[in-house]
Amino acid sequence: MFYCNKCNKYFSENFNRWCCDCGAPFSYTPSVSSQFPKNKIKGRNQTIWRYQEALPMESKEEIVSLGEGLTPLIPSLFEGQKILFKLDYISPTGSYKDRGTSFFVSKLKEHKIRKVVEDSSGNAGASLAAYCACSGISCEIFVPDYTSAGKVVQIEMYGARVRRIPGSREDTAKAVKRAARDCYYASHNWNPYFLHGIKTIAFEIWEQLGWKIPDNIVVPAGQGSLVLGCQIGFNELKSAGEIENFPRIFAVQAENCAPLYQAFQKGVTEPVTIQKKETIAEGISSAFPVRGSKVLSAVRNSGGAVIAVGEKEIWESLKKVSKSGFYIEPTSAATTAGLSQLINKGMIKSTESTVVVLTGSGLKATDKIRILKEKK
Ligand SMILES: Cc1ncc(COP(=O)(O)O)c(C=O)c1O
Ligand SMILES: [Zn+2]
């Protein structure tokens, strides 16, 4: 079922519209509650589909998978503390988005959708283009014209049409909505199936830690799909009786675009309207998170926090993690910069277990990283 939190109304699962008549995004509740048969899971394919009881499909024939999920969880020493890095940049298209896209495109296929448009800062577009390519769905991706060249070329190579929109990320979102009048707007930010693919990161961390949860999870947040994915995933594990507690969720924003951070600081429930400035963390440059109030309540209920990092901190962190062998994009270095802050402020302790999600590959952003390297 689809559900609108604002109208408190249920809708049948559908692709007739991408949001409720009231303008709010839908949430999705699987028709049967998720189960986690551990012995069966262990023997299955190393993809998100090993948790198939939590990813309901009418028929397995419609599943679109490129081998996403079960990414490495690697121990590392960071600021003198033991940390676990979840290498989600080792995904078929180079970012964590593939988790969400695999389930989302499987649903598009199940509902016989043949043509879609989408807007993205680059990674979700590349991911959607890849999964549409292997399922015969025609795809057009709108990106801001500042998007890293690596991501744009990648989208084109998958056979999708790219529309580069001058201006901000929000201008791109406006342009795609005009184009969505004659085909489905397959927005990863608006469609609730996407978050249910992302939730598999919670299941994986739990499985990889020997069916246990960590104390803390640190994720980047623009729209906040990882915060919400973790919330849904750990909630489902709790409802199934598999876990008792919840990890604390720490969400990291760029100071230059921090509507959630400012709301968290002010103690308010809606994202703050901000004057956004440019950030090298292009993936989290979202001034209007469509599920912002839910992201804020998910972080607060977990006992975590939203924090913000400056441009210099992001760049310094990118250099530092690269020297430990992790080549990530600047958006993901915002997360490690946030991790430094959390450790230095004593918000995360060495006695606790902490998982930090590295979301995007540096290989996609080499054009931008090279310019930054030459400037500094
Ligand atoms: C590499 C990377 N990390 C994190 C994010 C943030 O995702 P969200 O906007 O859902 O918070 C993005 C979004 O594009 C991204 O590309
Ligand atoms: Zn509504």
Side-chain angles (χ1 to χ4, degrees), residues 293-305:
S293 58
K294 282 198 138 194
V295 177
L296 284 164
S297 72
V299 169
R300 286 189 174 116
N301 291 340
S302 79

Side-chain angles (χ1 to χ4, degrees), residues 4-9 11 20-24 26:
C4 172
N5 284 84
K6 215 165 157 189
C7 307
N8 279 324
K9 266 199 229 151
F11 300 82
C20 181
D21 290 337
C22 75
F26 289 125

